[in-house]
Amino acid sequence: MGAWDVDLHEIVIVGAGIAGLTAARTLQDMGFSSVVLEKSKGIGGRCATRRLGEGTFDHGSQFFTVREPAFQELVDGWMLKGAVKEWTRGFPVIGDVTELAGHPRYCGVDGMTSMARAMAEGLDIRREHRVKRVSEARACWQIEVEGGIKLRAGVLVLTAPVPQALRLINDENTWRIGAALSPLLVIHYSPCFTAMVLLDGPSGLPGPGAARVEEGPISWIADNQRKGISPGAVAVTIHASRRFSEEHLDEDPQEIARILAEAAQPLLQSRITECRGHRWRYSVPSSILPVGCFEVDGRAPLYFAGDAFAGNRVEGAALSGLAVARAVAQIVDKGGRKK
Ligand SMILES: Cc1cc2nc3c(=O)[nH]c(=O)nc-3n(C[C@H](O)[C@H](O)[C@H](O)COP(=O)(O)OP(=O)(O)OC[C@H]3O[C@@H](n4cnc5c(N)ncnc54)[C@H](O)[C@@H]3O)c2cc1C
């Protein structure tokens, strides 16, 4: 028996962010099982909650909005599980007129990973499984994971940011499916630097404890204690503006965090005592494809899903997860055979 003869799974999903988990959860609820491979220890992807000292920070996405009824249904389910809450109906803008109050902005009850945790229950999620390469074989996809693990999939779903997902495809395959992949080559993402800072007292930030900033290197500042996720310390997340992030893309995130902390200090009532930086190379897509997910119809089906499809942001990622689950369900029997 060759190495590739082991572990044939009907559906393998790469990425346990909102898109991957929505897909796996929806498939499970429809009676299909899948394996989710996630490179990190934690789940949630760019809906990321991290600790520094006694502080808890949302350092990727900060909140989400709901436009589509299908997403509202999902959010209602998360609400029932106690995973999300309405945070506010608007944020003040520092350096401009105050934003008008409007539609609800939701957040995770224990941070933005709460939605991921609510969806993950009962799923086969293999954490710390970084996919190195995927190759198209006769009637399956072969998946190589760091550490020598190999799997085969009848249907493969890639939900990493599109440029990262494309890099996983074995060059030997692209001569055959290269043309089919070309619509994906125009999808780019903007970067975003984040600084997580601890304060020695209240932040003094206005309104719900967060504000958009329209001056200097900062675009967003949020007090995670006021948000309700950091009981142990005043923990403030600072996001750099897109322009600043692009201009400093290859610089040390810790150095950038110090610049952001210095720029933020005048906006804060208390002193910054500690600071940590993070670079999101892929924060939000600058262009999206107007389809729920993207199928490459090869010898075995390959799908791309995530926030570059079905609208962007958390809502787009979830809707894309729903779309890919429905597409996969249509081509796979409950027993897992391709129809
Ligand atoms: C700084 C920042 C601020 C944001 N603010 C907001 C906001 O306020 N509101 C909003 O709605 N959206 C916001 N967003 C965008 C939002 O976070 C994303 O649109 C959404 O989370 C994307 O989900 P996804 O599942 O498509 O992708 P991801 O969350 O990126 O999930 C992909 C997953 O794939 C995994 N992965 C990647 N490569 C591999 C591999 N080789 N092997 C295994 N696993 C792999 C990753 O670890 C990740 O878990 C923000 C994003 C950032 C970075």
Side-chain angles (χ1 to χ4, degrees):
M1 188 190 275
W4 291 113
D5 293 330
V6 293
D7 270 357
L8 172 64
H9 301 279
E10 316 307 352
I11 306 161
V12 171
I13 298 170
V14 177
I18 295 297
L21 291 173
T22 306
R25 176 85 266 147
T26 307
L27 283 163
Q28 177 110 329
D29 293 346
M30 294 165 98
F32 300 94
S33 59
S34 63
V35 173
V36 182
L37 303 175
E38 168 55 50
K39 69 178 180 189
S40 306
K41 264 192 201 154
I43 56 172
R46 280 171 275 159
C47 286
T49 310
R50 183 176 285 191
R51 287 189 63 90
L52 169 63
E54 293 302 306
T56 306
F57 301 77
D58 277 331
H59 75 126
S61 70
Q62 301 291 298
F63 63 89
F64 61 88
T65 51
V66 181
R67 289 185 177 79
E68 297 296 325
F71 185 49
Q72 185 68 61
E73 214 175 292
L74 262 182
V75 174
D76 290 346
W78 296 340
M79 286 263 208
L80 274 178
K81 287 188 163 180
V84 302
K85 63 176 184 185
E86 184 181 319
W87 180 11
T88 179
R89 298 244 164 172
F91 298 102
V93 181
I94 295 173
D96 196 358
V97 290
T98 301
E99 184 176 302
L100 290 175
H103 51 275
R105 272 73 160 185
Y106 299 93
C107 67
V109 165
D110 297 315
M112 292 294 280
T113 49
S114 297
M115 297 90 77
R117 284 202 299 273
M119 288 193 284
E121 225 174 279
L123 299 180
D124 183 353
I125 301 171
R126 306 193 185 171
R127 299 165 192 242
E128 296 184 83
H129 276 55
R130 180 189 286 270
V131 174
K132 276 198 318 191
R133 191 158 55 162
V134 300
S135 320
E136 193 190 28
R138 210 168 302 152
C140 68
W141 280 90
Q142 299 173 333
I143 301 154
E144 291 175 64
V145 177
E146 257 178 27
I149 300 165
K150 294 178 176 181
L151 295 89
R152 293 184 304 151
V155 180
L156 177 61
V157 179
L158 300 177
T159 71
V162 172
Q164 283 183 319
L166 285 172
R167 282 201 290 274
L168 298 179
I169 298 173
N170 190 345
D171 286 347
E172 284 164 26
N173 295 131
T174 48
W175 67 268
R176 226 179 65 74
I177 58 170
L181 297 175
S182 62
L184 301 174
L185 300 178
V186 300
I187 298 174
H188 301 287
Y189 294 71
S190 48
C192 180
F193 281 99
T194 297
M196 293 170 272
V197 303
L198 290 172
L199 305 190
D200 63 3
S203 69
L205 286 174
R212 298 186 195 279
V213 186
E214 298 209 332
E215 285 170 350
I218 300 175
S219 66
W220 169 262
I221 186 161
D223 178 339
N224 293 287
Q225 190 171 64
R226 293 273 301 281
K227 191 179 187 181
I229 68 163
S230 181
V234 181
V236 170
T237 302
I238 305 161
H239 283 167
S241 69
R242 177 179 173 171
R243 189 169 166 190
F244 178 86
S245 300
E246 282 171 350
E247 281 171 2
H248 298 271
L249 185 58
D250 292 316
E251 291 175 35
D252 174 17
Q254 196 53 31
E255 193 45 48
I256 295 297
R258 273 193 282 274
I259 296 171
L260 294 175
E262 214 175 281
Q265 186 65 83
L267 308 175
L268 299 165
Q269 193 181 304
S270 303
R271 204 171 55 88
I272 294 173
T273 56
E274 220 176 309
C275 135
R276 172 143 338 141
H278 181 80
R279 172 180 41 227
W280 295 99
R281 218 170 254 284
Y282 304 99
S283 81
V284 288
S286 30
S287 58
I288 59 164
L289 286 191
V291 290
C293 59
F294 186 83
E295 182 185 358
V296 179
D297 190 14
R299 285 176 286 192
L302 167 68
Y303 289 90
F304 290 80
D307 64 345
F309 312 93
N312 59 7
R313 307 210 155 233
V314 171
E315 174 162 17
L319 291 174
S320 180
L322 278 177
V324 79
R326 289 186 188 128
V328 168
Q330 272 186 0
I331 60 159
V332 180
D333 281 330
K334 292 231 165 173
R337 280 168 287 111
K338 196 179 171 193
K339 275 181 181 162

